[in-house]
Every structure is written in C-alpha cells, then in structure tokens.
C-alpha cells in the first residue's frame, strides 16, 4: 500500500512540475500547490509508519514482560468487540494502576489499550504517544 501511495505521490509531483513549466501565474500557483500535496503526503505516511513501529516495539516489550491486558474472558458482542460495561470496568482498574505510577511507560501503554477497548480512540492515541515518549526517556 505504501509503495502504491509513493507511486501516486510521485505522479502527483510530476504533474505539479509540468504545471509550473507551462508558465502563467495560475498554472505556477496550481503547480506549487500540487507539489506540496506529495510533500504533506510523505510526511503523513512517515509519521504513521513511525508511530506504528513504535507501538509495535512497546507491544513486544509488554508481551515479553507478561504485562498484556487479559481480555480473553471478557464478554463480547457478536461483532467481537468487548461489551461496554466490561471494557469500562477494565478501564477503571487500569486507570487506578496508572494513577499510582503515571510516569511508567508500561502503565501508560496499558491505559492506552484500555482506552481503545473502551472505544475512546482519541485518548488511546494520545496516551500511547505518552507511553512511547516515556519509554524513550527510560532508554
């Protein structure tokens, strides 16, 4: 998928150069705008991949240390998602652990996973960013 996106961004950049070469104020302005799109696209792809690799690294460390959240026995909906009440209960338990030691990346990682299970993806992402930063500071 990344290779296909890279090819698309390359083609888009080529079109931007072609527009600039055609001359004319409108064509040059449009060409600059079209060239900026692949630059922004590459930055987004890089940031997404970097975050994914960082999260994967933390997940591996948590797994090795045996600190993964055990959600196997929690009741699930037909879709496979954890029942809301069970996810909220798990979240409260993990949040209490986090409050005792908020500067431990392991607790932040577990809290991010609990946010995700509870359906709060925005807070899950922010908390995972915090976990990555804390883990880097520890190393």
């Amino acid at each position: 998928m990344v290779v296909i996106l890279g090819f698309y961004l390359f083609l888009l950049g080529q079109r931007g150069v072609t527009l600039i070469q055609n001359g004319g104020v409108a064509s040059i302005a449009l060409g600059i705008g079209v060239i900026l799109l692949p630059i922004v696209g590459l930055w987004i792809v890089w940031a997404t991949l970097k975050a994914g690799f960082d999260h994967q690294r933390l997940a591996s460390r948590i797994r090795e240390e045996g600190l993964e959240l055990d959600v196997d026995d929690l009741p699930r909906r037909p879709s496979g998602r954890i029942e809301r009440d069970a996810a909220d209960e798990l979240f409260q338990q993990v949040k209490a652990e986090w409050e005792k030691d908020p500067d431990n990346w392991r607790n932040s990682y577990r809290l991010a996973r609990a946010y995700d299970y509870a359906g709060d993806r925005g807070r899950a992402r922010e908390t995972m960013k915090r976990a990555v930063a804390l883990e880097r500071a520890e190393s």
Side-chain angles (χ1 to χ4, degrees), residues 4-20:
I4 293 169
L5 183 60
F7 180 69
Y8 172 74
L9 294 175
F10 172 76
L11 290 177
L12 196 58
Q14 267 187 326
R15 296 290 182 222
V17 170
T18 302
L19 283 167
I20 290 172

Side-chain angles (χ1 to χ4, degrees), residues 106-128:
R106 292 160 186 86
N107 290 339
S108 290
Y109 175 88
R110 289 169 52 90
L111 183 64
R113 296 295 294 148
Y115 271 127
D116 186 48
Y117 290 134
D120 192 343
R121 298 277 161 83
R123 284 192 177 117
R125 279 190 294 274
E126 291 304 313
T127 306
M128 189 63 78

Side-chain angles (χ1 to χ4, degrees), residues 4-114:
I4 293 169
L5 183 60
F7 180 69
Y8 172 74
L9 294 175
F10 172 76
L11 290 177
L12 196 58
Q14 267 187 326
R15 296 290 182 222
V17 170
T18 302
L19 283 167
I20 290 172
Q21 288 174 342
N22 285 341
V25 176
S27 182
I28 290 173
L30 189 58
I32 291 170
V34 170
I35 286 176
L36 290 177
L37 289 174
I39 293 170
V40 171
L42 287 173
W43 177 79
I44 290 170
V45 168
W46 175 81
T48 301
L49 288 173
K50 183 180 177 310
F53 289 133
D54 288 342
H55 299 174
Q56 196 64 29
R57 185 183 71 251
L58 295 189
S60 294
R61 287 193 63 187
I62 287 288
R63 192 177 316 108
E64 289 169 3
E65 295 177 16
L67 295 174
E68 287 182 324
L69 294 177
D70 185 15
V71 295
D72 293 336
D73 296 333
L74 296 180
R76 297 187 179 265
R77 298 178 185 166
S79 65
R81 288 194 56 86
I82 298 172
E83 292 278 342
R84 181 73 174 173
D85 291 339
D88 289 344
E89 186 178 320
L90 174 68
F91 173 78
Q92 290 304 322
Q93 174 190 353
V94 173
K95 185 177 179 192
E97 294 170 8
W98 177 83
E99 287 172 343
K100 292 177 186 173
D101 189 9
D103 294 328
N104 184 331
W105 72 265
R106 292 160 186 86
N107 290 339
S108 290
Y109 175 88
R110 289 169 52 90
L111 183 64
R113 296 295 294 148

